[in-house]
């Protein structure tokens, strides 16, 4: 891993059949790079939850992945309704998911708490009626 | 214990993912909430659920689960079975309800 690597994936709002596709691609890349399995597992949880949130709550989004020797940075930028109160959204059990989405077993309000638990660093910014940006950082060596 | 052993002992139906029947089983996890499974299940576990849609396989694959058991005669949707075959993660079925099959699987693994 001498160079920096960059990958991008599109995420379609509402398309649950493709949900998790980008996360599985990212998992494959990290495996090929021989990243520590414990780090891959945490990255997968955080990335999947962020990806599904774009599918479930936003209209469309792009995932930007940057990998260097120190860290994996995964930035999800979506166009969507945004999150009016991020602290409230972070609370376990808080969800605005539609009943249709809940029937599928989403909407437990556990996604953001899962991201918080598994990411080394989690940054969320959001603008109502514009969209949300989530940045997940995973450190590859000693925690920075 | 392999998935095939569990299939035989608990008399399960194999819907798809046959090539994963030799996967090792380390335990089980029971939930119909996907974020719960994402956050708390562990690799090698068998996931017991009534969810039949494709996202079940996305999670099973991302978490490296051993297999999925659908309860009370639920059947996988077509694209769920398709992905199960691609990933080699078996989707299994039982007519028992969640309580009953969980008890049996628990006894089998921990008994
Ligand atoms: N990308 C996003 N755009 C708009 N709103 C979001 C976004 N991500 C999260 N939210 C809001 O934050 C709430 C909590 O998110 P969280 O992921 O914790 O739970 P959930 O997605 O509702 O359910 P679960 O993740 O358990 O399936 C969501 O219900 C939604 O209101
Ligand atoms: Mg969520």
């Amino acid at each position: 891993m001498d160079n920096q690597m960059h990958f991008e994936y599109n995420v379609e709002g509402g398309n649950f059949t493709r949900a998790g596709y980008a996360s599985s691609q990212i998992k494959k890349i990290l495996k090929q790079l021989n990243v520590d399995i414990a780090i891959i597992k945490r990255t997968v949880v955080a990335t999947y939850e962020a990806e599904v949130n774009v599918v479930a709550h936003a209209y469309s989004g792009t995932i930007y992945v940057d990998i260097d020797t120190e860290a994996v940075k995964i930035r999800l930028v979506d166009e969507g309704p945004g999150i009016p109160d991020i602290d409230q959204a972070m609370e376990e059990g808080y969800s605005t998911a539609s009943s249709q989405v809940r029937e599928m077993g989403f909407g437990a309000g556990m996604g953001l708490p899962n991201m918080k638990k598994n990411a080394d660093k989690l940054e969320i910014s959001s603008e109502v009626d514009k969209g949300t940006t989530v940045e997940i950082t995973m450190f590859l060596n000693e925690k920075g | 214990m392999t998935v095939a052993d569990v299939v035989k002992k608990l008399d399960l139906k194999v819907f798809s993912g046959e090539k994963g029947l030799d996967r090792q089983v380390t335990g089980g996890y029971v939930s119909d909430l996907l974020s719960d499974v994402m956050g708390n299940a562990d690799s090698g576990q068998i996931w017991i659920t009534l969810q039949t849609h494709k996202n079940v396989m996305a999670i099973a694959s991302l978490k490296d689960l051993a297999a999925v058991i659908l309860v009370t005669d639920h059947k996988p949707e077509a694209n769920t079975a398709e992905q199960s075959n691609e990933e080699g993660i078996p989707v299994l079925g039982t007519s028992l309800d969640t309580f009953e099959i969980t008890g049996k699987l628990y006894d089998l693994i921990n008994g």
Side-chain angles (χ1 to χ4, degrees):
Chain A
M1 254 197 274
D2 2 84
N3 308 342
Q4 305 205 343
M5 301 174 89
H6 180 83
F7 303 92
E8 290 186 22
Y9 305 94
N10 292 320
V11 184
E12 222 180 294
N15 187 352
F16 280 93
T17 33
R18 253 177 73 89
Y21 174 78
S23 300
S24 77
Q25 295 305 307
I26 294 166
K27 180 186 175 189
K28 273 185 203 150
I29 291 166
L30 297 182
K31 270 187 146 174
Q32 273 164 14
L33 294 172
N34 276 318
V35 170
D36 180 67
I37 184 69
I39 297 175
I40 295 179
K41 282 185 179 184
R42 287 192 290 112
T43 309
V44 161
V45 174
T47 307
Y48 175 80
E49 293 293 5
E51 182 182 355
V52 170
N53 275 357
V54 175
V55 176
H57 307 296
Y59 314 137
S60 69
T62 308
I63 305 182
Y64 304 91
V65 183
D66 286 283
I67 307 172
D68 60 25
T69 49
E70 316 231 304
V72 181
K73 280 201 177 121
I74 299 161
R75 199 157 51 91
L76 299 96
V77 181
D78 75 45
E79 285 169 31
I83 306 175
D85 184 341
I86 292 173
D87 289 337
Q88 183 185 38
M90 293 296 303
E91 282 172 24
E92 191 151 337
Y94 178 83
S95 176
T96 60
S98 68
S99 57
Q100 216 182 338
V101 169
R102 282 173 203 263
E103 257 172 48
M104 296 174 77
F106 295 107
M110 291 177 74
L112 285 168
N114 275 350
M115 286 156 65
K116 181 94 202 151
K117 259 178 253 169
N118 286 279
D120 287 330
K121 206 163 110 196
L122 178 67
E123 286 167 308
I124 303 173
S125 59
S126 192
E127 203 176 325
V128 173
D129 291 337
K130 280 251 167 77
T132 301
T133 296
V134 171
E135 190 169 316
I136 295 161
T137 307
M138 308 300 296
F139 296 109
L140 294 174
N141 307 304
E142 294 301 298
K143 269 195 187 180
Chain B
M1 197 182 316
T2 65
V3 175
D5 296 331
V6 175
V7 166
K8 207 167 146 204
K9 295 246 168 65
L10 301 187
D11 193 22
L12 302 173
K13 203 175 295 166
V14 180
F15 288 119
S16 56
E18 282 85 357
K19 71 175 184 221
L21 287 171
D22 58 352
R23 293 172 85 94
Q24 286 294 322
V25 178
T26 57
Y29 199 77
V30 185
S31 184
D32 300 321
L33 295 174
L34 305 189
S35 293
D36 177 27
V37 178
M38 203 61 215
N40 298 313
D42 228 323
S43 59
Q45 292 180 335
I46 290 188
W47 174 17
I48 298 175
T49 183
L50 50 67
Q51 299 291 352
T52 58
H53 53 83
K54 193 178 171 222
N55 296 272
V56 167
M57 286 320 300
I59 289 174
S61 159
L62 286 168
K63 299 289 286 184
D64 294 314
L65 302 182
V68 176
I69 299 178
L70 304 181
V71 298
T72 53
D73 287 326
H74 281 73
K75 291 175 187 62
E77 287 171 17
N79 54 12
T80 307
E82 215 171 282
Q83 198 181 343
S84 155
N85 288 330
E86 277 162 24
E87 310 267 357
I89 301 177
V91 175
L92 314 170
T94 179
S95 53
L96 300 180
D97 69 24
T98 305
F99 177 73
E100 291 166 334
I101 193 65
T102 301
K104 284 183 189 239
L105 181 64
Y106 184 90
D107 278 348
L108 187 59
I109 291 172
N110 296 327

